[in-house]
Amino acid sequence: MLPVLLITFPFFALVLCGYLAARRGVLPQPAIPGLNAFVLFFALPCMLYRFGASTPIGQLLDPAVAGVYLLCALVMVGATVALTRNARMGWNDAAFGALVAAFPNTGFMGVPLLVALLGAQSAGPAIVTIVVDMVITSSLCIALSRLDGAGTHGVGVALRNAFKGMATNPMPWSIALGALASALQFKLPGPADKTVAMLADAASPVALFTIGAVLARSQMNAHEQVLARDYVPVALAKLLAHPLLVWGVGTAAMALGVPLTPFALTVLVLLAALPSASNVSLLAERFGAHNGRIARIILVSTALAFLSFSGAVTLLVP
């Protein structure tokens, strides 16, 4: 496991650096949205475009990868809502708890980490899962979160808001442009390609540092008490139940003849073993869910993932 830890340690160390910088005031809280904007609108789209453009179009349009991953996401969402919704927790909080249980931190952490571990060929399946999570899983959970007020606004309004949010998110567009470039075998002119490459190279370190800063800000601004039973089980489900589910469904699919390669299944399982996506906290705040609970799920899953994710890599990667 030591060789794996030597690879994963720098990624989690950058998250810790961002966390400590925000907690100690070295990075002022008003600066964190600026870092987030740089990653979301500049660095990460360039990185996804480069991976998409350099990945064969067949890998970016792999129905087996998308189908297995989507089925597992739907199971995670349904099970989490069923197990957490109660008299204290309505549809809004249960839905965002389900989203944070099913949505790994693929964009900010997963793509650069898996490329470092498995090589550039792992970017194809990872990009497919990003599209599934942003287009389907997020929209479903946002729609479910509106059921508390279905009598006043309705699920249709929630879905329209979800698709509006996706339309203004640059990540799907950068993936689509990369896929189009791959299909047409288009190459950017030299100076433009160099600019995109420089921004793409900044994506991983700045994104990881920003994750830590966002987690620290969420913890510093969450003054209300949250019961451990409301967030620890969901964090553990993300790190343990989700990858086991993906492994089980993927293995069964391969046995039934679904054209899913062992390498693609390994990528999917490791993606599912990632901690929860940090941007779910922003969505929860926007839609009025209990953001303190969501932030704690993200924080616990990120802290524990250093060992759990490294253990998963040790088991799956020769």
Side-chain angles (χ1 to χ4, degrees), residues 71-92:
L71 176 59
C72 294
L74 295 177
V75 171
M76 286 297 296
V77 168
T80 306
V81 169
L83 293 173
T84 58
R85 184 171 172 268
N86 52 42
R88 293 186 301 108
M89 193 175 300
W91 281 104
N92 198 13

Side-chain angles (χ1 to χ4, degrees), residues 43-115:
L44 194 57
C46 288
M47 183 183 74
L48 293 175
Y49 172 84
R50 290 188 77 203
F51 281 133
S54 61
T55 301
I57 190 64
Q59 293 184 26
L60 298 176
L61 301 175
D62 191 333
V65 169
V68 167
Y69 185 79
L70 175 59
L71 176 59
C72 294
L74 295 177
V75 171
M76 286 297 296
V77 168
T80 306
V81 169
L83 293 173
T84 58
R85 184 171 172 268
N86 52 42
R88 293 186 301 108
M89 193 175 300
W91 281 104
N92 198 13
D93 291 328
F96 279 102
L99 180 58
V100 87
F103 194 163
N105 209 335
T106 309
F108 279 24
M109 181 181 287
V111 173
L113 185 51
L114 287 184
V115 168

Side-chain angles (χ1 to χ4, degrees), residues 1 65 89 101 107 110 129 156 162 169 173 181 183 188 199 210 218 236 254 312 318:
M1 189 170 175
V65 169
M89 193 175 300
T129 68
N169 188 332
W173 296 108
L188 289 171
L199 285 169
T210 304
S218 299
L236 294 177
M254 292 171 63

Side-chain angles (χ1 to χ4, degrees), residues 77-294:
V77 168
T80 306
V81 169
L83 293 173
T84 58
R85 184 171 172 268
N86 52 42
R88 293 186 301 108
M89 193 175 300
W91 281 104
N92 198 13
D93 291 328
F96 279 102
L99 180 58
V100 87
F103 194 163
N105 209 335
T106 309
F108 279 24
M109 181 181 287
V111 173
L113 185 51
L114 287 184
V115 168
L117 287 167
L118 302 176
Q121 66 270 28
S122 63
I127 289 174
V128 173
T129 68
I130 291 175
V131 174
V132 170
D133 280 327
M134 289 190 302
V135 175
I136 302 177
T137 311
S138 296
S139 300
L140 171 63
C141 289
I142 291 173
L144 290 175
S145 75
R146 301 298 89 193
L147 290 179
D148 283 331
T152 54
H153 298 293
V155 178
V157 174
L159 283 173
R160 285 196 294 273
N161 289 337
F163 283 110
K164 182 180 178 181
M166 288 185 300
T168 58
N169 188 332
M171 291 172 62
W173 296 108
S174 60
I175 292 171
L177 288 174
L180 182 62
S182 174
L184 299 177
Q185 297 186 336
F186 171 77
K187 301 293 183 182
L188 289 171
D193 186 62
K194 181 64 175 176
T195 302
V196 170
M198 292 175 68
L199 285 169
D201 290 341
S204 178
V206 180
L208 294 168
F209 188 89
T210 304
I211 290 172
V214 169
L215 291 176
R217 182 186 63 182
S218 299
Q219 189 179 42
M220 292 161 66
N221 294 341
H223 303 297
E224 70 276 18
Q225 293 292 325
V226 184
L227 297 175
R229 69 187 187 195
D230 287 340
Y231 64 91
V232 173
V234 179
L236 294 177
K238 177 69 204 72
L239 297 178
L240 301 176
H242 194 194
L244 286 173
L245 176 64
V246 172
W247 177 80
V249 171
T251 302
M254 292 171 63
L256 292 173
V258 175
L260 181 71
T261 66
F263 177 80
L265 178 58
T266 298
V267 172
L268 291 181
V269 174
L270 291 180
L271 289 172
L274 288 168
S276 302
S278 56
N279 65 310
V280 178
S281 176
L282 302 177
L283 283 173
E285 183 175 352
R286 176 182 173 187
F287 286 94
H290 191 332
N291 196 33
R293 170 177 174 260
I294 299 301

